[in-house]
Every structure is written in C-alpha cells, then in structure tokens.
C-alpha cells in the first residue's frame, strides 16, 4: 500500500499567509511551507492508546455508538491528548467509553499502522470495581470470556490483532510485549479485517 497523503496546511497557522508544498532545503519530503514567513509545518502520525481490561477470566468490551465502525465491538481506545502519558491516556479513554476505572496498566503491544499514519499503544489493565456502563460513545458495555469475543464483529484491524496476540499469550500461559506493523493488503475495504496481516512481529 502507498504511503498516506498527509493533510497539508493551505494557510500558515502562524501568520495566515498561503502555504505551498515543497521540499525544504536539507529535507527529502514535501512539506507545507509558508510563502511569507517560511515556517515549515510538519504533519506527524497520531498516537492511539487503549486498554485490554481484565476482570478475572473476562475482558471488558464496548460496542461503538459512533462512526467509524458504529455497532462493532472494541476494547476502549482513542487518541492520546497533549500533556498526558500513554498509560494515563489509555485509562482516560477507558473511563470515557465505559465508565470503568482501571489500574496496573502495563504495555502489551505497540503496533504501527502506516497506511493511516497511526501508532497504537495497547495496555493490559485490571478492572478496579464492578462498575461499567454505556456512554455517548458506546451503546453497550459488557464482560466477555475468551470464547465470547465477537471475532467477526470487531471494529478495527488493530483491535483484532491485539486481541489475537492476547489470546495466544493467554493460551500459552505467559504474556509478552509485542511489536509489529498492521499492514493492509491494499485490496477491498480498509474495514475488512481479513485484508490485514501483522508484519515484522516481535515478542519479548
């Protein structure tokens, strides 16, 4: 798959003048450069963080009530905010999407998703209390056993990849930390989970 086309700036956020796309001196890629103040505006990948929430032998999943993938299942996750750590962001997203409070967060997987310019950090976390509930982002929240994970109805390839790695580790009786690239084949819909593979997988 080709590298994604990054959103460029039409106007400079600093001075309001028009920007043009060109390769700055000493660089190797086109950037948005202000035609007046010469400021170079970079567009970088987004960081997404989430939690595989454990409650004994069950996991906490949420059915999305917003697009994209509305009506499909996921573990709680979302974009990292400025000023927070990755673990704090994963705990916040869990609260916002499920009203669940978690602790003992440990990094489980760091997945690169180049075709949509995302880096996805997945944490294992422990559910503190019995409280969880639907939210404006989730129409349903529930605990499921491993056998009840809705594999054919998961929201995103990153979620499916992380949960399959989790299931493999759990079956083996030892959790590891995983890295790899979630790669789209370039065929069919980007929401067809069958069109993805995990490349360059490493586990420690």
């Amino acid at each position: 798959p080709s590298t994604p086309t990054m959103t460029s700036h039409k106007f400079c956020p600093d001075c309001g003048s028009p920007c043009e796309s060109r390769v700055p001196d000493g660089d190797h890629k086109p950037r948005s450069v202000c035609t007046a103040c010469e400021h170079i505006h970079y567009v970088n990948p987004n960081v997404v963080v989430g939690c595989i929430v454990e409650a004994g032998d069950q996991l906490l999943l949420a059915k999305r009530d917003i697009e994209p993938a509305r009506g499909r299942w996921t573990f709680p996750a979302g974009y990292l905010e400025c000023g927070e750590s990755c673990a704090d962001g994963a705990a916040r997203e869990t609260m916002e999407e499920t009203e669940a409070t978690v602790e003992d967060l440990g990094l489980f997987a760091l997945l690169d998703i180049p075709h949509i310019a995302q880096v996805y950090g997945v944490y294992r976390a422990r559910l503190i209390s019995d409280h969880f509930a639907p939210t404006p982002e989730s129409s349903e929240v529930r605990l499921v056993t491993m056998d009840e994970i809705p594999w054919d109805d998961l929201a995103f390839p990153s979620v499916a990849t992380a949960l399959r790695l989790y299931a493999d580790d759990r079956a083996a009786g030892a959790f590891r930390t995983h890295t790899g690239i979630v790669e789209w084949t370039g065929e069919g819909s980007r929401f067809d989970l069958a069109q993805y593979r995990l490349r360059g997988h490493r586990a420690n």
Side-chain angles (χ1 to χ4, degrees), residues 104-184:
D104 297 335
L105 278 74
L107 184 64
F108 174 70
L110 185 64
L111 303 173
D112 295 311
I113 316 176
H115 73 280
I116 54 172
Q118 287 185 358
V119 177
Y120 208 105
V122 183
Y123 289 79
R124 288 176 60 208
R126 185 171 65 86
L127 186 65
I128 293 178
S129 73
D130 294 333
H131 177 75
F132 52 85
T135 68
E137 297 184 38
S138 305
S139 61
E140 185 178 348
V141 180
R142 71 184 188 199
L143 291 170
V144 301
T145 65
M146 298 301 295
D147 291 339
E148 295 171 333
I149 294 175
W151 294 107
D152 294 332
D153 202 24
L154 294 175
F156 305 112
S158 50
V159 171
T161 299
L163 285 176
R164 291 195 184 281
L165 293 172
Y166 179 91
D168 289 344
D169 280 4
R170 186 158 174 168
F175 286 102
R176 302 167 294 172
T177 303
H178 300 265
T179 59
I181 302 168
V182 179
E183 188 172 70
W184 179 45

Side-chain angles (χ1 to χ4, degrees), residues 175-197:
F175 286 102
R176 302 167 294 172
T177 303
H178 300 265
T179 59
I181 302 168
V182 179
E183 188 172 70
W184 179 45
T185 64
E187 303 293 331
S189 167
R190 293 189 180 187
F191 289 98
D192 181 357
L193 305 190
Q195 298 298 327
Y196 287 83
R197 65 170 183 162

Side-chain angles (χ1 to χ4, degrees), residues 23-57:
V23 179
D25 292 341
D27 208 333
H28 63 286
K29 296 181 70 174
R31 312 289 185 182
S32 290
V33 182
C34 179
T35 56
C37 71
E38 293 289 314
H39 189 88
I40 303 170
H41 300 283
Y42 295 91
V43 180
N44 302 110
N46 290 306
V47 177
V48 178
V49 288
C51 284
I52 296 177
V53 180
E54 302 168 330
D57 63 349

Side-chain angles (χ1 to χ4, degrees), residues 70-123:
R70 185 175 186 175
R72 290 183 172 267
W73 290 90
T74 182
F75 51 74
Y79 290 111
L80 184 69
E81 299 282 3
C82 293
E84 64 183 359
S85 70
C86 290
D88 287 345
R92 172 187 53 76
E93 285 290 342
T94 300
M95 171 61 71
E96 290 179 358
E97 295 187 4
T98 67
E99 292 190 5
T101 304
V102 294
E103 63 181 6
D104 297 335
L105 278 74
L107 184 64
F108 174 70
L110 185 64
L111 303 173
D112 295 311
I113 316 176
H115 73 280
I116 54 172
Q118 287 185 358
V119 177
Y120 208 105
V122 183
Y123 289 79

